[in-house]
Amino acid sequence: MGAAALLSIDKVTMRFGGLTAVKNVSISIGKTDLVAVIGPNGAGKTTLFNTITGIYSPTEGTVTLDGEKISARKASDITKLGIARTFQNIRLFNNLSVIDNIKIARHTRIKYSFFDGIFKTKKYREEEKLITEESLKLLELFNLADKKDLLAKNLPYGAQRKLEMARALATKPKLLLLDEPAAGMNPTETKELSELIHFIRDQFQIAVILIEHDMNLVMGIAERIYVLDYGNLIAEGASRDIQNNPKVIEAYLGADIDTGH
């Protein structure tokens, strides 16, 4: 676990009664790493994400962000400290506009007080103007600016995925977690997603961890891959090493899976 790591997961175990979903997992993520977590369904991947983001507090072990222990912190506090995520099932505010979905994500960063908000003081007006400007810039980066006034539910599926990522970035994270971002996408959308993930990492200079079953996407963009099976970390390394690892082939890559989804 190097001193320069942005995120350190140290011997984390997550139990639910008699079920051990994650067992003694240690992972280290650098400040601009782009890595993937793969494995069969039920391997513990999303549980690991939930443990990192404060939805669960680990039964054993610690999670550290920039040297600060976060494994006992609330999810809202962890967001403020710099971790954002998307979900396998899109979780937008469907009946809000596209731009309001972005603006609402900025609530963790507002500096005006409750008093300022109630009485709409100069400080409130100036910060709300800045939030609107920054939200528009994010939408422009994701080619969604022309849809800013549409309700989120009226966006095409691929655009909803983009909006969810843009909303996560509005929290100004150091680390972005993407849970199966290619789920439900066609090959053209998946190719665009691959380019978008690279763009996000390079443009915002943040670390990205993705959970994904589309092996073409994973092998094409991940600089390092971690493999979970029954909650255990069974392998880690570059894509070539993972593809040729007998344990991974037996547990996952050699199984009858749809690597295009």
Side-chain angles (χ1 to χ4, degrees), residues 25-70:
V25 170
S26 294
I27 292 174
S28 182
I29 307 295
K31 294 183 184 297
T32 57
D33 284 355
L34 201 172
V35 305
V37 178
I38 67 171
N41 291 330
K45 304 182 298 296
T46 296
T47 298
L48 184 64
F49 266 25
N50 289 341
T51 304
I52 294 169
T53 55
I55 294 175
Y56 303 143
S57 182
T59 309
E60 298 172 9
T62 58
V63 182
T64 304
L65 181 71
D66 254 354
E68 182 172 353
K69 182 181 175 182
I70 63 171

Side-chain angles (χ1 to χ4, degrees), residues 38 214-222 225 239 242-243 253:
I38 67 171
D214 186 323
M215 288 300 100
N216 289 328
L217 174 63
V218 169
M219 298 300 174
I221 68 170
I225 300 170
S239 59
I242 295 301
Q243 285 175 306
L253 297 183

Side-chain angles (χ1 to χ4, degrees), residues 3-259:
L6 172 67
L7 180 77
S8 293
I9 301 167
D10 189 16
K11 299 178 181 177
V12 161
T13 294
M14 189 70 229
R15 296 192 186 94
F16 301 97
L19 172 67
T20 302
V22 174
K23 184 178 180 181
N24 199 34
V25 170
S26 294
I27 292 174
S28 182
I29 307 295
K31 294 183 184 297
T32 57
D33 284 355
L34 201 172
V35 305
V37 178
I38 67 171
N41 291 330
K45 304 182 298 296
T46 296
T47 298
L48 184 64
F49 266 25
N50 289 341
T51 304
I52 294 169
T53 55
I55 294 175
Y56 303 143
S57 182
T59 309
E60 298 172 9
T62 58
V63 182
T64 304
L65 181 71
D66 254 354
E68 182 172 353
K69 182 181 175 182
I70 63 171
S71 40
R73 304 290 292 267
K74 295 178 181 178
S76 56
D77 292 335
I78 291 173
T79 300
K80 291 177 184 178
L81 289 170
I83 297 180
R85 72 173 293 181
T86 65
F87 293 85
Q88 180 180 354
N89 299 313
I90 297 173
R91 298 186 185 182
L92 296 172
F93 299 106
N94 285 319
N95 291 311
L96 292 181
S97 68
V98 168
I99 192 167
D100 282 344
N101 265 269
I102 301 294
K103 290 169 69 175
I104 204 169
R106 281 292 312 276
H107 78 280
T108 58
R109 303 294 179 192
I110 58 174
K111 298 176 183 177
Y112 60 75
S113 67
F114 179 76
F115 174 89
D116 293 319
I118 290 293
F119 293 99
K120 294 184 170 50
T121 63
K122 181 181 179 182
K123 183 176 182 180
Y124 165 85
R125 295 193 304 272
E126 287 177 347
E127 189 166 357
E128 282 295 311
K129 180 183 178 183
L130 178 62
I131 288 171
T132 299
E133 290 171 352
E134 290 180 346
S135 297
L136 280 170
K137 286 179 182 177
L138 260 179
L139 291 177
E140 287 169 1
L141 285 174
F142 283 80
N143 295 318
L144 293 172
D146 61 334
K147 299 175 177 63
K148 65 182 179 67
D149 296 320
L150 288 179
L151 294 182
K153 66 182 180 183
N154 292 332
L155 288 176
Y157 183 84
Q160 288 187 15
R161 282 285 182 194
K162 284 185 179 181
L163 178 57
E164 193 179 34
M165 283 188 250
R167 186 181 62 180
L169 290 167
T171 67
K172 298 188 175 181
K174 303 172 184 176
L175 171 64
L176 177 63
L177 309 182
L178 303 174
D179 193 347
E180 297 197 30
M185 288 190 172
N186 62 43
T188 300
E189 290 172 330
T190 300
K191 183 177 184 299
E192 291 174 354
L193 174 66
S194 175
E195 295 169 354
L196 181 60
I197 293 171
H198 267 298
F199 171 79
I200 288 170
R201 192 275 299 272
D202 296 340
Q203 176 74 18
F204 294 91
Q205 286 294 290
I206 61 175
V208 178
I209 309 175
L210 69 148
I211 292 171
E212 189 50 67
H213 284 296
D214 186 323
M215 288 300 100
N216 289 328
L217 174 63
V218 169
M219 298 300 174
I221 68 170
E223 298 163 344
R224 192 164 69 258
I225 300 170
Y226 295 92
V227 187
L228 291 178
D229 186 38
Y230 292 108
N232 296 288
L233 182 63
I234 63 169
E236 62 177 278
S239 59
R240 184 183 297 274
D241 298 327
I242 295 301
Q243 285 175 306
N244 296 317
N245 187 302
K247 288 184 179 180
V248 179
I249 292 170
E250 180 181 359
Y252 185 49
L253 297 183
D256 183 19
I257 61 170
D258 180 3
T259 57

